[in-house]
Amino acid sequence: MRFDGDKVDEIKIAYIGGGSRGWAWRLMSDLSLEQSLSGTVYLYDIDYEAAKTNETIGNNLKSQWFYTAVNNIESALKDANFVIISILPGTFNEMASDVHTPEKYGIYQSVGDTTGPGGLFRALRTIPIFVEFANKIKEYCPDAWVINYTNPMALCVRTLYNTFPKIKAFGCCHEVFSTQNLIVKAAKEIEDIECSREDIKTNVLGINHFTWIDKATYKDIDLIPIYEKFVDKYFDTGYEGEVSWQSSYTSSANKVKFDLFKKYRIIAAAGDRHLTEFVPQLGYLENPETVKKWKFHLTPVSWRIKNREELIKKSQKMAKGEENFKISPSGEEGVKQIKALVGLGDLITNVNLPNYGQIKGIEKNIVVETNAYFTKDRISPVISGELPDTVNILLAPHIINQKMIIEATIKKDKDLALHALLNDPMVRKLTYNDAKKLFDEMFENTKEYLKNW
C-alpha cells in the first residue's frame, strides 16, 4: 500500500469467490464511490469464467480500481492487504438437500444455511474449505485483514481462527443494519424524530443471525420505549413499510421480531427468516400455513436457481455493455471497514469475532456478534454486557453445536455430527430413529464433500 495524504493507493484485495454476482458487485459499487482508496482486486473463483466476467464488469466501470481474474488462489493471496471471502459451499443440489430433505420429516427451514439440519450439513461442507483458506492465508499473506461474508458465519470465522490463531479475520452480516433501520422508522412514526441508521447508537450482542439489541439511543433519547410503542401499534398486522412482505422471498412483516420483543423485552436484531430457525419451539415454523400467518417465507432452492440464471444473464449483458452497471451505495460496510483499517478515520460497527470477553455469560472463543471499534490496523471488540438468562437459554444449544460441529468435521466423526443434529432444537421433535434416518439421507446427498469420513 502507498499512503498519500488523505488517500491510500496500491491496495491489493484478494477476493475468494470473485465470480460472485451479489457480494462482488456490491463491493465494486462501494469501491467506485470511495475516492480515498485505490488499487487492484484479484478475483479468484473455482468458476474461472465467472471471475473473468466480473473482471470485465469491474474494469468497464473505469474507476480508480483495476480488476484481474486469476485461476489459482495463490496468485490472488500473495502479499494481499485484504482478503474477502464470499463462496457457495457446494452446489444447489446440496443446498436443495439442506433445505428440503428435512421437510419429509416435518421440519421446515426458512433459510437453511446457519442452524438446523441445513446449517449443519452446509457447515460440514464449508469447514474443510475454510481450513484450506486459513492455511493459504498463513502462507501467502499472514498480515492481511480477512473479511468473511460466507455462512454459516460463526463456524467459518471460528475455523479460520482455529486453523491460524494469529489470523486477523472478522465476519460481516447486514441483518443488524435492517433492524437499526426499523428502529429509525419507529422513531419517525411514533415521535417524529428524524434520524438515520448512522445517527443512532445500539448495543449489539448475541451470535450471528440470532443477534439482539438491548440499548438504542439517539442523542440523549432512549429509543427502546419508542420501539415498544411501535411494536404495540403493529403487533397484529406487522410492519412492512413501503414494500409488501409478499413481494420477495427474502422479505417479512417483522411479526416474529415483534413477538420476540414481547416475550423477552429485548430487540431481536435479525430478519424473521433467520430468527425463526433458532427457536422452532416457539411455533413460527410449524408448517407452511403457519409461516404465512407470521408473514415471512420459506425460501425454496428452486427460486435461488432461477435467480442465479437471471443474474448470469445480467452479468453477461453488463460485460458486453448491453446493460449498465448501476453504481450506488450497497448499504454494506466492508469498504468503510477497509478505510478505517488503513488509517482513514475510525468506525464502530457490528462484526463477528471470537469472544474475548466482550459478552459475559458466553464462554471464551465462541464466535459472537457485537460492536467493534475499527482504527488503523486494529479492531477492538466493544464490551457489550450480558444477555438475559431467558435469552441465553435459547442460545445454549447453538453455542454447544458451534464447538461440536467443528470438532466433528475436523475429526471426520460421523457419530459426533449426528449428536450435533440431535442437539438442534429443530430436530428434537423427532424420535432418535427418525433423526438418524434424516441424518443418513442428508449425509448421502452431500457425500461428495464428505470423503474419508
Side-chain angles (χ1 to χ4, degrees):
M1 291 187 295
R2 182 171 62 87
F3 296 86
D4 181 15
D6 58 354
K7 292 184 177 181
V8 180
D9 304 317
E10 299 177 17
I11 299 170
K12 178 175 179 179
I13 298 176
Y15 197 125
I16 301 175
S20 158
R21 301 171 188 94
W23 292 109
W25 294 352
R26 295 176 190 179
L27 177 70
M28 289 175 182
S29 189
D30 288 344
L31 286 175
S32 296
L33 292 168
E34 183 49 69
Q35 295 299 311
S36 65
L37 305 174
S38 66
T40 303
V41 181
Y42 286 75
L43 304 166
Y44 167 73
D45 201 294
I46 57 173
D47 184 348
Y48 179 63
E49 290 306 314
K52 285 293 290 182
T53 301
N54 273 351
E55 173 189 294
T56 302
I57 292 170
N59 290 329
N60 283 348
L61 299 178
K62 301 189 186 313
S63 71
Q64 70 279 24
W65 287 87
F66 180 74
Y67 295 84
T68 181
V70 294
N71 57 14
N72 63 86
I73 194 171
E74 293 81 6
S75 296
L77 292 176
K78 185 171 175 56
D79 300 323
N81 305 115
F82 293 89
V83 179
I84 295 174
I85 309 174
S86 69
I87 67 165
L88 173 65
T91 71
F92 281 125
N93 290 332
E94 286 77 28
M95 187 186 286
S97 174
D98 293 347
V99 175
H100 298 302
T101 299
E103 292 172 358
K104 300 178 184 179
Y105 298 82
I107 296 173
Y108 295 92
Q109 300 167 109
S110 35
V111 186
D113 69 359
T114 299
T115 188
L120 167 65
F121 277 91
R122 184 179 173 108
L124 300 187
R125 297 193 302 274
T126 309
I127 289 167
I129 299 171
F130 271 69
V131 169
E132 181 179 349
F133 290 163
N135 283 325
K136 292 289 186 183
I137 290 165
K138 180 180 180 180
E139 182 176 359
Y140 290 98
C141 54
D143 294 323
W145 285 100
V146 181
I147 307 174
N148 176 61
Y149 290 105
T150 305
N151 289 325
M153 174 66 71
L155 291 167
C156 291
V157 174
R158 181 157 181 167
T159 299
L160 293 173
Y161 277 93
N162 282 5
T163 308
F164 176 23
K166 292 184 178 179
I167 200 167
K168 300 191 298 187
F170 56 95
C172 293
C173 178
H174 56 211
E175 293 291 317
V176 171
F177 302 164
S178 297
T179 303
Q180 290 167 336
N181 283 326
L182 188 64
I183 296 170
V184 166
K185 290 174 182 175
K188 172 61 177 174
E189 180 151 338
I190 300 301
E191 295 292 344
D192 200 28
I193 296 171
E194 291 278 1
C195 58
S196 68
R197 183 179 76 79
E198 291 77 14
D199 294 330
I200 68 173
K201 295 179 180 179
T202 55
N203 188 52
V204 178
L205 61 176
I207 58 177
N208 183 240
H209 291 155
F210 201 42
T211 322
W212 302 78
I213 291 172
D214 64 350
K215 297 175 184 175
T217 57
Y218 170 65
K219 296 182 177 179
D220 60 346
I221 302 171
D222 183 356
L223 298 176
I224 299 292
I226 294 173
Y227 183 81
E228 182 174 9
K229 292 178 182 177
F230 186 74
V231 170
D232 289 340
K233 182 175 180 178
Y234 290 105
F235 183 74
D236 292 328
T237 62
Y239 179 83
E240 303 175 67
E242 300 80 25
V243 181
S244 167
W245 71 274
Q246 294 175 309
S247 64
S248 166
Y249 274 116
T250 59
S251 298
S252 78
N254 297 295
K255 281 175 64 69
V256 171
K257 195 181 282 86
F258 295 163
D259 191 57
L260 288 171
F261 181 82
K262 287 280 193 181
K263 285 181 166 65
Y264 299 100
R265 314 311 301 174
I266 184 173
I267 300 175
D272 285 11
R273 291 162 60 251
H274 283 297
L275 292 168
T276 56
E277 295 188 326
F278 287 86
V279 285
Q281 66 271 31
L282 297 183
Y284 308 122
L285 281 168
E286 281 299 304
N287 52 54
E289 291 70 33
T290 302
V291 169
K292 288 179 182 178
K293 290 178 182 177
W294 285 100
K295 296 186 177 180
F296 66 99
H297 297 273
L298 302 174
T299 307
V301 175
S302 59
W303 172 80
R304 297 186 186 275
I305 294 170
K306 182 180 179 181
N307 186 56
R308 177 190 61 177
E309 293 170 350
E310 292 173 354
L311 289 173
I312 290 172
K313 292 177 183 176
K314 182 182 180 71
S315 69
Q316 292 168 345
K317 287 182 179 180
M318 288 195 297
K320 293 176 182 177
E322 297 171 358
E323 182 174 333
N324 290 329
F325 185 108
K326 295 179 182 178
I327 297 176
S328 60
S330 71
E332 306 296 337
E333 296 199 337
V335 172
K336 291 181 180 179
Q337 292 161 342
I338 291 172
K339 186 177 176 181
L341 289 169
V342 299
L344 298 179
D346 299 341
L347 174 71
I348 294 178
T349 188
N350 57 288
V351 291
N352 290 267
L353 287 167
N355 189 24
Y356 303 113
Q358 59 265 42
I359 299 186
K360 290 176 61 179
I362 295 179
E363 66 184 86
K364 188 177 179 181
N365 293 326
I366 291 294
V367 170
V368 294
E369 187 159 357
T370 64
N371 289 332
Y373 173 69
F374 284 66
T375 191
K376 186 174 182 179
D377 205 35
R378 182 164 56 89
I379 300 176
S380 303
V382 173
I383 299 299
S384 299
E386 187 173 11
L387 284 162
D389 287 343
T390 50
V391 175
N392 274 329
I393 290 171
L394 304 178
L395 266 68
H398 306 288
I399 287 173
I400 291 170
N401 272 8
Q402 190 180 126
K403 297 183 294 182
M404 201 184 310
I405 291 168
I406 288 182
E407 183 180 352
T409 310
I410 298 301
K411 293 181 177 178
K412 296 180 168 34
D413 187 333
K414 196 172 179 180
D415 187 59
L416 189 57
L418 169 62
H419 280 280
L421 183 80
L422 293 169
N423 182 54
D424 192 284
M426 279 194 182
V427 181
R428 289 180 181 173
K429 67 180 182 180
L430 301 185
T431 64
Y432 176 89
N433 287 337
D434 282 346
K436 179 69 164 54
K437 288 178 183 177
L438 171 61
F439 179 87
D440 289 341
E441 184 173 351
M442 295 183 74
F443 195 96
E444 176 67 20
N445 292 342
T446 200
K447 65 181 179 181
E448 181 66 24
Y449 296 84
L450 303 175
K451 294 175 180 177
N452 303 317
W453 276 61

